[in-house]
Amino acid sequence: MAASRCSRCAWLFLVFIYSLYVVVISEEPTPGNEQHASVADNPQTPAETVKQPTEERRWEATQVDETVPDDAAAANKQDLPVPDSVLTSTPPLKDEFQEELVIRPLHSGDIYASFQFRTVWETDFTRGRKVSHYRLFPKSLGQVISKFSVRELHISFTQGYWRTMQWGQPYLPSPPGAELWVWFQDTVTDVDATWKELTNVLSGIFCASLNFIDSTNTVQPSASFKPLGIANGTDHRFLRYATLPREIVCTENLTPWKKLLPCGSKAGLAVLLKSEKLFHSSFHSQAVHIRPVCQDGPCKTASLELRQTLNVVFDLHASGQGKREWSLFKMFSRTLTEACPLASSSKIYIDVTDNPQEDQFELSPATHLLSQAVVLGDRRTFSVYDLTQQVTFGTVRSLNVLIRWKSTEGDMLRPLLHAERYVAGYGLQTGEIHTLIYNNHPFRSFPVLLLDSVPWYLRLYVHTLTVTSKGKDNKPSYIHYQPSKDRMRPHLLEMLVQLPPHSVTEVTVQFERALLKWTEYTPDPNHGFYVGYEHIACHICHKSVLQVRNERIFQMCFSFNCRSSVVSALVPSTVAMNTNITKEQPLFSTFFPAKEESSYFIRVYTEPLLVNLPTPDFSMPYNVICLTCTVVAVGYGSLYNLLTRSFQVEEPNPGLAKRIANVIRKMRGVPPLVAKVFQSQLIQSVQTHKGRLVCVVNFATVTKIAPAVNYAAPMDAGTSAYLQLR
Amino acid sequence: MGLLSDPNRRRALINLLTRLNAPICALCYFAGVCWFMGLAFEPFTLRTYMSENAMGSTMVEERFPSGERALATGKEFAAHKKKVGGMPVDWLVKTMQARGLEVFTQSFSRTLPFPDENKERYIVKGTNVYGILRAPRAPRTEALVLSAPCSPGDNNNQAVGLLLGLAHYFRSQVFWAKDIIFLVNEHDLIGMQAWLESYHHTNTTGMDWSPLQGRGGSIQAALSLELSSDVITSLDIILEGLNGQLPNLDLANLFYAFCQKIGVLCTIQGRLQRNDWDSVSGYSHAVQTMMLMVMKQASGRPWGDHGLFLRYHIEAATIKGINSFRQYKTDVTTVGRLLEGMFRKLNNLLERLHQSYFFYLMPSLSHFVSIGYYMPAFGLLAVILLLRALDLWVQLVSPPAVAVDGVGDVAQSSPGVLSVLTPLVISHLTGAALYILPTRFQEIAVEHFPVSETEAVVLTVIAVYTAGLALPHNTHRLLSGEGTEQGWRVLKLVAVLYLAVLLGCTALINFSLGFILALTLVPVAAFVTPHVPKTLSAVVLVILSPAFTLLFSVFFFQELEEMPVSFQDGWLLYLSVISQGILDHHLYGSLVYPLIALMVYPCWLLFWNILFWK
């Protein structure tokens, strides 16, 4: 059965090669001869294919070496600086660099390109050893890691939102804006101060606004983020997680990111990373992940792994001019001519799973290497181009992979798990955050861990928190809630929720919008305030051939989840070991350590929210000041005046003699003759003194003399009459 | 404030105000009306200008090329619409998907409280179709909306065609920073209401809708398109929304700026602007344009599909293509370019539109009257009420032996509390009956009388209204015996202050409504006493009652629209306006009907009560 399929494949392939050959001849008359020669020289010429149909498509894992012609391999050996041969110093610094590019043609006609650059360095910062010699590993990051005792660091910059409905699941999910989470080593005493310092340093390294990370947007998730590398403790006191949904990612972030690569953007896959094309796309995400991994099987010693990833989705309508045809040149306006000389492996993978018979799209130049990997619980097949081999580049000395679609249908996908989020209600007083989580699996339910971090200026009413699935109340089996403190820290809500099969689970919580102080508003307050996305972590265990086995695994996962350790349970060191020593697996499939092939871990991020807070009209401070002053002066002043003054018959104007007497009294320093008595409240006591009425007045409230001066004034006849009346 | 704290001068001032009360009131009324009429005079108004920097200085180019294709799409849409006999949902979904949008549908249903005879609908079921153009590299936080209604008959096919054409063209551009939602709504406002309620997950009117599957974050601005011909002569912008809310003036400025730039004739209230402001006809033209806006705003109903957006703080306007008999025609490509330009500028917005005015009147598209200019007109009318209140207060505390300290009069007016409270309660109960009874008892009315449901509702309204005139003005005698001179003064004082507060609050929210009500109710409040000639005053009072105000407004509006009607037609129109007002309240949450029924009418009844005080 398999043999017959293989032979059919071979025949189709033969036809494809032939048609391509014809196309090339007709399109390019000048290099036609060379091309012809190259095809003839190729060991896999059509003539030979007929003779050996079973060898036509080779699986990379088993037969990589055989496909390489001996002379080419020798040439590569010379080019490639194999670490062992280069390093002569003691102790030998063992480091290794791999690069790869995965291209996945998407249903919608868009194309997804994912770069991964991996540097593994057999060193250990944890023991406090000073490391001063750097080779492939970027020194700037190495110093940061050793100085701040960072165990794991994950940072991502994303521009755009991953459209799960159109594109399926990404290899490495990342939220819009900047996301940073760091596990510190347990030797760190003041985590918060270290974190603050680290964010500022990273801000400089990546030319991003990470310095805006402070206590108001930092949280310590208890369960959602577990170490991805080897770890012996998962005490979340050493974890810090922060996001900046507003961060705009552009070329100034790309340049420092590229500088971390051993070859820079001079050679290898990185030559494709030209910002004018990368930012002419629907989605752009770049990330740096640093974690300790096992060096070898028994996992005696740890080495440091740096993964730099860059994901980009090019749009069919905007970049592709609507033509369903993609090539490296069209995507990146460059072609590839060589691998990075420092790389031990440099490969391009093209996802051809949906294209077994080449009826969806055709690929040129054709490659004979195939590879299989389990990505997101799905066994995918990839065509592989190995850049370390000269034969890949052909006679034109450049590789320009071309994908041309044959069919034009593009439906919306129904991804297994996706989520959306929105603010309900209107007006500027209250609102409601709705999160919808879709489980589209027909018969499986999944436990998912939700993480929600809401800024303090949305005052959550936690008693209104509801989780409903299929119209019924869905009680979370684990809730971790940390209330916010105004201007200090955000709300943190973590929940473990079981998603019933084929359902929509709705999480709602009401909030009140706080009034900020006027200095706390951003320069563009009417734009609204960003509220970070909700993060949904799920360990899906369902893809398997055997139903029974499937159930068992699922049960196991669930039991893990019930103990609210959904992620940490996934990372025993043996798994980490497995992922790191088996080099046959492409990089993109090995990031999240999977327990078994049948289960996998996914993260889903919802979109961030833009919430308008009650905003004063900053455009008219002058009017506001004028109005306020007028109201205070006229309204309050007169009212106060009327309330605190008592009216009485005034004496006729003091005669000239009295005025003169007052002037004299003033000069003498004696209080003048008082004509009026102030309001009765001010009169503290009335007493008879030497036969005359004396009124003790507390003048402090009237004349701002402090401390209060008791002032005895002699009273004239009118005043005493008034007092008698009262 | 020395004036008030000095008892002598204060007394002099009060004496002056009470002695000259009537002339001052008349003068204020006259001045208020004059001020209002002067608002339309061009030298007194401001030229419109773009306040929002993000929309002002940035240059955008309009390159929309495919108007002909849009028209072809419109024809195709019309054919499918005819075939299906309603909204061609499947075709729209397919077409939008082919244009690279994320397409979703939403179904809704609504049973009206009573049949709408104007639009001939009672149980409404429909489907909205919308496609979201996802902006590249944007995190779905902001969106713009372009909507076109799927109208019965041959209306608005071109609008849908142009919407799809723009969607296709916009999809291939990279400069979008906000998602753009292309919405085709069925059953005009009801569909729009369902979509908006679902988008914001609110339910204020008891409509059934299916939840939306896709969203684009917070909507920043929306344009609704109405286009029923292949070529147009001018474009009209409609601003008046629900409850008299208006979009930010910058949206109108944007439209005007692009009309100028592209060279399309643009109108507001269907009227071109004239340059001869100094001639009488030019002035009257401006006054009529402004009066049309005042009338429309006062009605509190949404005058286009955009009207419902405003509740959610989304700036929105309807752009309507008009094809008249003028020579100069504009094709759809040009309209498309205009919309493209507007959307590109809205796309450039960094913040919500907030720089310019939210409260304004427009005597022409290039001039506007801001709130600071028109409020004095209302203030001059409102001050009459305060002057009357002062006069009454002084009369009540008239024995001048007691200083005006407010201490002495509590004892005197205390026996009047019951006599004041009773008419207040009774008139408000009548108002509540006016609000509740018509829709509640339509079934009973239909059973017992040979009328349709709609007629039953309207006739019940009129019946309750008339019954209210007969009911309350004698009741106080049963409760508190003979009415005293003091009694009616206290009642009138309360009524006048109540009216002042009521009108003041109304004018703040909806100036036009407040001003029109003030024009008729303030004279009533000013002159009515038990001592004026009964019959004549009763006639005047009835003529100046809210119901008659509405009747006059209907005729006046028809006159302004240059569609004068006979009395017979006017009466029928009047009845339909009442039913529409009630429907607007139940369907969209318009507040004019409850305001009139629960507040204004009871307040007017108090004055009616005073007239028949014995």
Side-chain angles (χ1 to χ4, degrees):
Chain A
M1 187 62 198
S4 73
R5 197 185 298 150
C6 264
S7 66
R8 209 184 307 147
C9 281
W11 275 108
L12 277 165
F13 187 70
L14 172 74
V15 172
F16 167 59
I17 290 278
Y18 218 85
S19 63
L20 183 76
Y21 169 69
V22 172
V23 166
V24 167
I25 290 290
S26 60
E27 279 181 359
E28 293 178 307
T30 27
N33 289 333
E34 287 173 26
Q35 192 75 18
H36 183 82
S38 80
V39 171
D41 288 347
N42 201 322
Q44 275 88 26
T45 50
E48 281 188 32
T49 324
V50 179
K51 286 175 203 157
Q52 296 177 312
T54 47
E55 282 179 21
E56 192 44 46
R57 288 192 141 193
R58 291 161 197 248
W59 295 100
E60 184 199 28
T62 52
Q63 292 183 329
V64 170
D65 293 334
E66 289 168 24
T67 54
V68 183
D70 284 348
D71 51 347
N76 277 344
K77 283 246 162 61
Q78 285 167 8
D79 287 351
L80 266 178
V82 180
D84 295 0
S85 62
V86 172
L87 297 171
T88 49
S89 60
T90 51
L93 274 169
K94 281 196 223 153
D95 49 2
E96 188 190 26
F97 175 66
Q98 291 169 292
E99 56 178 10
E100 71 173 32
L101 163 65
V102 193
I103 293 175
R104 188 163 88 193
L106 301 166
H107 277 280
S108 54
D110 301 343
I111 196 153
Y112 172 32
S114 170
F115 291 86
Q116 282 218 16
F117 303 92
R118 177 173 183 249
T119 312
V120 182
W121 187 16
E122 293 186 9
T123 185
D124 202 355
F125 288 112
T126 53
R127 290 168 207 155
R129 221 174 58 197
K130 278 280 178 195
V131 181
S132 54
H133 184 67
Y134 289 84
R135 203 177 76 95
L136 295 178
F137 199 89
K139 191 174 180 182
S140 55
L141 283 183
Q143 285 174 333
V144 168
I145 291 164
S146 64
K147 175 153 195 292
F148 296 106
S149 302
V150 172
R151 192 166 69 194
E152 256 187 46
L153 185 147
H154 302 269
I155 182 166
S156 74
F157 299 99
T158 307
Q159 186 73 356
Y161 181 73
W162 183 268
R163 303 171 198 168
T164 319
M165 297 285 272
Q166 288 180 348
W167 301 335
Q169 294 291 349
Y171 293 129
L172 256 179
S174 57
E179 183 197 38
L180 173 67
W181 55 287
V182 174
W183 276 94
F184 291 97
Q185 283 167 13
D186 42 17
T187 50
V188 179
T189 46
D190 189 353
V191 181
D192 285 317
T194 319
W195 165 251
K196 182 74 199 153
E197 221 171 316
L198 174 69
T199 52
N200 279 291
V201 170
L202 289 175
S203 171
I205 291 178
F206 292 102
C207 199
S209 333
L210 297 174
N211 52 330
F212 283 105
I213 292 177
D214 54 14
S215 67
T216 59
N217 48 19
T218 303
V219 291
Q220 302 173 41
S222 65
S224 295
F225 286 89
K226 292 295 168 190
L228 291 178
I230 50 170
N232 35 21
T234 55
D235 185 352
H236 69 270
R237 278 184 297 133
F238 298 103
L239 170 67
R240 290 294 180 277
Y241 174 81
T243 56
L244 294 173
R246 212 186 168 165
E247 180 72 12
I248 306 245
V249 184
C250 202
T251 133
E252 78 268 18
N253 305 109
L254 183 66
T255 312
W257 184 89
K258 280 198 289 195
K259 278 187 183 161
L260 301 176
L261 295 171
C263 291
S265 52
K266 301 286 188 295
L269 291 172
V271 297
L272 299 178
L273 305 175
K274 291 290 168 201
S275 53
E276 79 267 20
K277 277 292 182 183
L278 286 183
F279 292 105
H280 196 283
S281 57
S282 295
F283 176 82
H284 170 94
S285 168
Q286 60 191 63
V288 171
H289 302 275
I290 299 171
R291 60 175 178 175
V293 293
C294 287
Q295 226 166 56
D296 44 12
C299 204
K300 290 270 167 50
T301 50
S303 48
L304 198 63
E305 183 199 64
L306 163 71
R307 272 183 203 245
Q308 286 181 258
T309 63
L310 189 142
N311 294 297
V312 60
V313 177
F314 291 100
D315 190 77
L316 173 74
H317 294 268
S319 319
Q321 289 92 41
K323 247 170 94 182
R324 289 181 158 249
E325 184 184 301
W326 291 102
S327 65
L328 284 186
F329 188 78
K330 198 169 163 185
M331 286 189 269
F332 302 106
S333 72
R334 292 286 184 290
T335 56
L336 286 171
T337 52
E338 55 170 348
C340 171
L342 300 170
S344 62
S345 121
S346 176
K347 284 176 182 153
I348 297 179
Y349 295 85
I350 315 259
D351 193 337
V352 292
T353 318
D354 303 328
N355 191 29
Q357 309 295 325
E358 297 195 349
D359 51 356
Q360 294 279 323
F361 53 85
E362 60 180 56
L363 199 60
S364 71
T367 178
H368 318 293
L369 279 173
L370 287 179
S371 165
Q372 274 201 339
V374 177
V375 185
L376 300 172
D378 207 1
R379 190 170 280 281
R380 315 285 298 180
T381 312
F382 297 90
S383 288
V384 185
Y385 295 87
D386 193 343
L387 299 185
T388 50
Q389 295 164 22
Q390 279 304 314
V391 69
T392 314
F393 298 105
T395 46
V396 288
R397 297 267 159 215
S398 86
L399 177 66
N400 183 22
V401 182
L402 181 81
I403 298 165
R404 189 180 288 126
W405 261 265
K406 289 173 178 169
S407 60
T408 55
E409 52 96 29
D411 280 340
M412 269 208 264
L413 297 171
R414 286 182 67 78
L416 204 59
L417 193 71
H418 72 105
E420 62 168 309
R421 196 175 196 213
Y422 59 92
V423 179
Y426 58 90
L428 289 175
Q429 196 190 356
T430 56
E432 196 170 34
I433 297 178
H434 283 242
T435 310
L436 300 175
I437 308 158
Y438 296 83
N439 175 8
N440 286 329
H441 199 282
F443 52 85
R444 290 240 173 283
S445 64
F446 300 122
V448 297
L449 196 56
L450 311 180
L451 167 71
D452 206 349
S453 156
V454 179
W456 64 266
Y457 41 77
L458 298 192
R459 307 229 159 92
L460 292 186
Y461 294 154
V462 186
H463 70 280
T464 61
L465 177 74
T466 57
V467 185
T468 46
S469 324
K470 293 183 168 176
K472 274 184 289 188
D473 196 31
N474 186 347
K475 200 169 179 306
S477 43
Y478 167 73
I479 294 184
H480 170 72
Y481 175 70
Q482 188 185 40
S484 72
K485 277 186 195 159
D486 277 7
R487 299 170 181 89
M488 294 289 286
R489 68 170 190 217
H491 303 265
L492 171 68
L493 179 64
E494 279 182 288
M495 282 191 293
L496 182 67
V497 179
Q498 187 81 12
L499 304 183
H502 198 72
S503 69
V504 186
T505 304
E506 188 168 23
V507 181
T508 63
V509 61
Q510 290 177 11
F511 64 86
E512 190 188 69
R513 298 162 208 244
L515 249 178
L516 302 187
K517 290 179 183 165
W518 69 279
T519 47
E520 287 169 343
Y521 285 96
T522 50
D524 53 349
N526 284 290
H527 178 69
F529 289 76
Y530 281 86
V531 176
Y533 24 78
E534 180 142 328
H535 164 275
I536 297 160
C538 179
H539 187 206
I540 293 185
C541 347
H542 75 116
K543 287 277 171 98
S544 178
V545 191
L546 284 170
Q547 196 70 28
V548 186
R549 183 165 160 255
N550 214 351
E551 291 293 340
R552 183 179 59 79
I553 292 160
F554 179 70
Q555 286 299 324
M556 186 185 69
C557 285
F558 184 58
S559 66
F560 277 139
N561 291 330
C562 281
R563 292 205 311 267
S564 77
S565 55
V566 58
V567 194
S568 66
L570 301 177
V571 202
S573 57
T574 50
V575 175
M577 170 201 76
N578 277 338
T579 56
N580 291 315
I581 59 163
T582 50
K583 294 213 170 120
E584 299 91 77
Q585 281 185 319
L587 295 176
F588 56 86
S589 62
T590 59
F591 188 67
F592 289 121
K595 196 153 188 67
E596 297 187 32
E597 268 191 9
S598 56
S599 72
Y600 64 101
F601 175 77
I602 59 173
R603 285 189 202 285
V604 176
Y605 293 96
T606 63
E607 51 267 72
L609 301 174
L610 192 60
V611 179
N612 279 86
L613 295 185
T615 311
D617 190 352
F618 291 108
S619 64
M620 327 183 161
Y622 175 74
N623 292 7
V624 173
I625 291 166
C626 287
L627 191 70
T628 319
C629 292
T630 315
V631 167
V632 168
V634 176
Y636 174 75
S638 61
L639 202 66
Y640 181 80
N641 202 355
L642 289 174
L643 282 175
T644 54
R645 190 180 285 186
S646 71
F647 301 100
Q648 62 190 30
V649 183
E650 199 185 327
E651 268 198 351
N653 261 350
L656 188 66
K658 202 168 185 180
R659 272 192 247 172
I660 293 167
N662 268 345
V663 170
I664 294 166
R665 286 177 82 100
K666 205 175 184 179
M667 281 159 64
R668 281 173 54 206
V670 180
L673 295 169
V674 177
K676 273 187 194 174
V677 169
F678 289 87
Q679 206 244 354
S680 57
Q681 286 171 2
L682 298 175
I683 300 171
Q684 285 191 330
S685 63
V686 182
Q687 51 191 244
T688 322
H689 183 248
K690 288 179 188 169
R692 295 173 72 187
L693 265 178
V694 171
C695 175
V696 182
V697 180
N698 186 351
F699 266 75
T701 51
V702 184
T703 53
K704 308 254 176 197
I705 298 166
V709 179
N710 283 341
Y711 175 66
M715 302 178 93
D716 50 31
T719 315
S720 56
Y722 172 75
L723 284 172
Q724 276 163 10
L725 271 174
R726 299 290 288 197
Chain B
M1 281 289 127
L3 196 65
L4 288 182
S5 49
D6 180 348
N8 286 328
R9 278 188 245 165
R10 183 162 58 170
R11 199 167 299 130
L13 181 71
I14 288 167
N15 280 341
L16 184 78
L17 285 180
T18 43
R19 199 150 32 87
L20 295 176
N21 201 289
I24 292 175
C25 287
L27 189 70
C28 281
Y29 190 82
F30 182 70
V33 174
C34 283
W35 187 294
F36 181 73
M37 298 310 284
L39 292 177
F41 189 52
E42 202 174 300
F44 294 166
T45 58
L46 296 171
R47 273 196 83 81
T48 53
Y49 57 92
M50 194 75 85
S51 300
E52 177 63 58
N53 291 326
M55 294 202 305
S57 56
T58 47
M59 297 294 289
V60 295
E61 279 182 12
E62 308 84 36
R63 293 182 181 154
F64 176 68
S66 44
E68 292 304 313
R69 219 168 120 192
L71 284 181
T73 318
K75 286 199 181 75
E76 207 178 327
F77 170 74
H80 281 273
K81 189 165 82 173
K82 199 167 275 176
K83 205 167 76 187
V84 181
M87 183 99 156
V89 176
D90 296 331
W91 181 82
L92 269 174
V93 169
K94 225 170 67 206
T95 319
M96 283 189 180
Q97 262 168 1
R99 278 153 176 74
L101 306 181
E102 275 182 35
V103 190
F104 306 94
T105 58
Q106 183 215 17
S107 55
F108 58 91
S109 68
R110 176 80 163 104
T111 308
L112 273 54
F114 53 89
D116 183 353
E117 291 192 341
N118 282 25
K119 292 187 173 160
E120 289 169 355
R121 56 190 183 187
Y122 181 47
I123 297 170
V124 181
K125 276 198 175 71
T127 313
N128 294 325
V129 180
Y130 67 102
I132 306 179
L133 191 169
R134 295 291 183 195
R137 299 186 309 288
R140 296 192 180 176
T141 47
E142 295 170 287
L144 302 172
V145 174
L146 176 62
S147 79
C150 170
S151 316
D154 273 341
N155 291 329
N156 284 325
N157 294 330
Q158 284 81 356
V160 177
L162 183 57
L163 175 125
L164 292 170
L166 282 171
H168 184 59
Y169 174 72
F170 284 1
R171 183 65 180 83
S172 56
Q173 308 302 319
V174 289
F175 40 67
W176 300 115
K178 300 175 171 50
D179 290 359
I180 300 177
I181 302 176
F182 296 91
L183 167 67
V184 181
N185 55 316
E186 205 179 357
H187 299 299
D188 48 63
L189 282 163
I190 295 182
M192 190 58 92
Q193 173 83 0
W195 190 81
L196 278 170
E197 287 202 340
S198 187
Y199 196 96
H200 295 96
H201 209 284
T202 55
N203 204 336
T204 49
T205 54
M207 186 183 283
D208 290 326
W209 36 256
S210 62
L212 298 188
Q213 300 285 318
R215 285 183 173 79
S218 82
I219 302 174
Q220 305 288 306
L223 288 180
S224 180
L225 188 62
E226 288 180 22
L227 202 62
S228 300
S229 56
D230 290 354
V231 286
I232 55 152
T233 51
S234 62
L235 282 176
D236 189 44
I237 186 165
I238 303 170
L239 300 170
E240 299 86 3
L242 187 69
N243 290 327
Q245 265 187 293
L246 299 170
N248 195 284
L249 187 59
D250 268 344
L251 199 65
N253 294 342
L254 183 67
F255 171 75
Y256 181 61
F258 268 101
C259 285
Q260 301 289 95
K261 182 179 176 187
I262 295 181
V264 185
L265 279 180
C266 54
T267 60
I268 187 163
Q269 320 298 353
R271 285 157 177 267
L272 286 167
Q273 65 175 24
R274 291 165 60 152
N275 293 324
D276 52 340
W277 56 267
D278 43 356
S279 69
V280 175
S281 67
Y283 170 70
S284 84
H285 184 86
V287 168
Q288 284 173 12
T289 313
M290 191 181 73
M291 284 311 294
L292 267 172
M293 181 158 189
V294 168
M295 301 306 281
K296 284 184 178 176
Q297 198 190 6
S299 75
R301 54 181 324 201
W303 286 83
D305 282 355
H306 74 282
L308 299 172
F309 281 94
L310 299 170
R311 178 206 293 267
Y312 302 94
H313 193 10
I314 300 167
E315 308 316 316
T318 297
I319 292 175
K320 191 175 180 178
I322 292 173
N323 193 16
S324 66
F325 300 108
R326 280 171 180 272
Q327 282 290 313
Y328 183 73
K329 303 276 186 191
T330 309
D331 62 349
V332 174
T333 312
T334 317
V335 180
R337 278 172 54 216
L338 181 119
L339 287 170
E340 188 204 348
M342 287 182 75
F343 266 91
R344 285 195 63 176
K345 285 231 174 169
L346 290 171
N347 179 56
N348 285 343
L349 279 181
L350 297 174
E351 303 181 61
R352 275 171 188 279
L353 285 173
H354 68 283
Q355 303 271 17
S356 194
Y357 295 87
F358 284 94
F359 298 94
Y360 52 87
L361 295 174
M362 297 195 87
S364 73
L365 207 43
S366 62
H367 285 82
F368 74 103
V369 183
S370 78
I371 184 166
Y373 287 75
Y374 66 59
M375 263 306 176
F378 174 79
L380 283 169
L381 296 189
V383 86
I384 295 173
L385 296 174
L386 297 183
L387 284 176
R388 296 306 295 182
L390 183 75
D391 188 31
L392 284 165
W393 180 257
V394 170
Q395 284 175 23
L396 277 171
V397 295
S398 52
V402 182
V404 198
D405 265 341
V407 187
D409 14 297
V410 179
Q412 289 180 353
S413 61
S414 54
V417 167
L418 195 66
S419 69
V420 172
L421 206 60
T422 323
L424 265 177
V425 168
I426 289 174
S427 57
H428 278 92
L429 285 180
T430 321
L434 180 62
Y435 175 64
I436 294 165
L437 289 186
T439 42
R440 278 292 156 80
F441 290 98
Q442 48 170 315
E443 287 92 355
I444 300 169
V446 169
E447 268 177 33
H448 291 86
F449 301 100
V451 286
S452 73
E453 276 98 342
T454 320
E455 286 168 345
V457 170
V458 175
L459 294 179
T460 319
V461 168
I462 295 173
V464 174
Y465 192 92
T466 324
L469 302 190
L471 181 69
H473 64 266
N474 281 329
T475 43
H476 69 274
R477 268 191 296 171
L478 299 173
L479 286 162
S480 59
E482 199 69 15
T484 55
E485 195 70 1
Q486 206 78 334
W488 75 260
R489 289 221 168 91
V490 173
L491 180 60
K492 188 172 173 187
L493 179 65
V494 169
V496 163
L497 289 177
Y498 180 29
L499 186 65
V501 171
L502 186 62
L503 291 180
C505 294
T506 311
L508 278 182
I509 297 164
N510 185 345
F511 166 77
S512 305
L513 184 62
F515 188 77
I516 289 177
L517 287 175
L519 270 185
T520 53
L521 289 179
V522 165
V524 170
F527 85 86
V528 71
T529 60
H531 309 303
V532 289
K534 284 276 179 317
T535 330
L536 183 67
S537 309
V539 169
V540 172
L541 214 58
V542 166
I543 282 175
L544 292 178
S545 79
F548 274 82
T549 312
L550 180 62
L551 184 64
F552 300 141
S553 301
V554 167
F555 281 102
F556 184 53
F557 183 72
Q558 292 300 319
E559 205 62 44
L560 286 172
E561 290 265 85
E562 289 158 2
M563 288 187 296
V565 286
S566 66
F567 185 78
Q568 192 71 29
D569 294 341
W571 177 252
L572 289 177
L573 200 60
Y574 174 66
L575 297 183
S576 89
V577 163
I578 293 174
S579 73
Q580 289 297 316
I582 300 171
L583 270 181
D584 281 346
H585 171 59
H586 285 104
L587 289 181
Y588 319 120
S590 159
L591 292 174
V592 175
Y593 175 62
L595 178 82
I596 300 285
L598 296 174
M599 301 285 203
V600 179
Y601 172 63
C603 190
W604 178 84
L605 276 184
L606 291 179
F607 295 112
W608 182 257
N609 207 335
I610 291 162
L611 180 66
F612 293 98
W613 191 274
K614 280 179 188 146

